[in-house]
Amino acid sequence: LAIAASFVGIVLITTFSIYYFYENSSSNLYATYFQPYPNEVAPVVRGQNLNTLITDAFQAYENENYKLSSKLFEDIPEDYALLYGGISNLEIDQNQKAINQFKKLSLKNGKYQEASEWYLALAYLKNNETKNAKEVLNSISQNQQIYEQATELLRNL
C-alpha cells in the first residue's frame, strides 16, 4: 500500500511539474502575448487600387503574407517599416532578423520606440532568450505606462 501511494505521489508531482513548466515556457508565453501590431500607417481600403511599395507591403501584412511583407518592408526607409518588418519576420521564424530590427528601432526616440521594445521582448522569448526578455521587460515596466502586460509577462517568467 505504501509503495502504491508513493507511486501515485510521484505521478502527481511529475504531472504537476510538467504542466507548470509547460504553461510558463517561453513559447507558450510568446503565443499568449503576441499579437501583430495593427496597421496604422496605410490601412487597406477595398476598391482602392494604389500599387505602391507601401500599400503593397501593408496589404501583404494584413493578408498575413508575412514572407512577402518582410521583403517589401526592407525597401521602405521609414521607422515603421522596421516595426512591421520585424513582426513579419517573427511570423516567418526569422527571429534573429526581427531582434535586430527591433533593437535598431528601439534606439530611436520616435512613435514606434515603445512598441519595438515590447516586440523585442517577445522576440527574445520566441528565440528562447529568457534572460534578455526579462531585461527588456524590466525596462518597459519601469519606464513606460503603455505596456501593463510587460509587468504581467515578467511575473510569469
Side-chain angles (χ1 to χ4, degrees):
L1 189 60
I3 294 172
S6 297
F7 180 73
V8 169
I10 291 171
V11 169
L12 288 175
I13 290 171
T14 303
T15 303
F16 174 76
S17 298
I18 291 171
Y19 175 77
Y20 177 78
F21 289 114
Y22 178 76
E23 283 295 309
N24 290 322
S25 72
S26 295
S27 59
N28 281 339
L29 289 172
Y30 169 82
T32 300
Y33 287 92
F34 177 81
Q35 284 187 315
Y37 197 76
N39 175 1
E40 299 174 345
V41 178
V44 176
V45 178
R46 289 181 186 223
Q48 185 180 29
N49 194 12
L50 301 174
N51 287 331
T52 68
L53 179 61
I54 294 169
T55 56
D56 289 349
F58 279 104
Q59 188 166 17
Y61 182 83
E62 286 191 12
N63 290 332
E64 299 179 6
N65 186 348
Y66 296 113
K67 188 172 184 177
L68 177 60
S69 66
S70 170
K71 183 178 180 329
L72 294 173
F73 282 123
E74 286 178 5
D75 296 329
I76 299 172
E78 305 298 326
D79 287 347
Y80 63 78
L82 289 171
L83 178 65
Y84 290 100
I87 293 167
S88 297
N89 282 315
L90 279 178
E91 291 282 13
I92 60 172
D93 296 323
Q94 296 293 318
N95 303 337
Q96 192 57 52
K97 190 173 182 180
I99 288 169
N100 293 338
Q101 289 172 302
F102 296 136
K103 277 183 175 179
K104 185 176 180 180
L105 186 56
S106 70
L107 297 174
K108 299 182 177 192
N109 288 328
K111 179 178 178 180
Y112 299 102
Q113 180 186 16
E114 292 174 349
S116 69
E117 291 174 355
W118 170 249
Y119 283 102
L120 176 60
L122 292 175
Y124 280 137
L125 270 182
K126 187 173 183 186
N127 215 34
N128 291 316
E129 297 179 40
T130 307
K131 181 182 174 192
N132 290 336
K134 285 181 181 180
E135 288 175 11
V136 174
L137 290 167
N138 273 322
S139 173
I140 291 171
S141 64
Q142 290 173 6
N143 298 326
Q144 300 163 3
Q145 299 294 325
I146 293 176
Y147 290 101
E148 295 174 10
Q149 290 180 323
T151 306
E152 182 182 317
L153 177 55
L154 193 55
R155 278 195 310 263
N156 289 324
L157 280 176

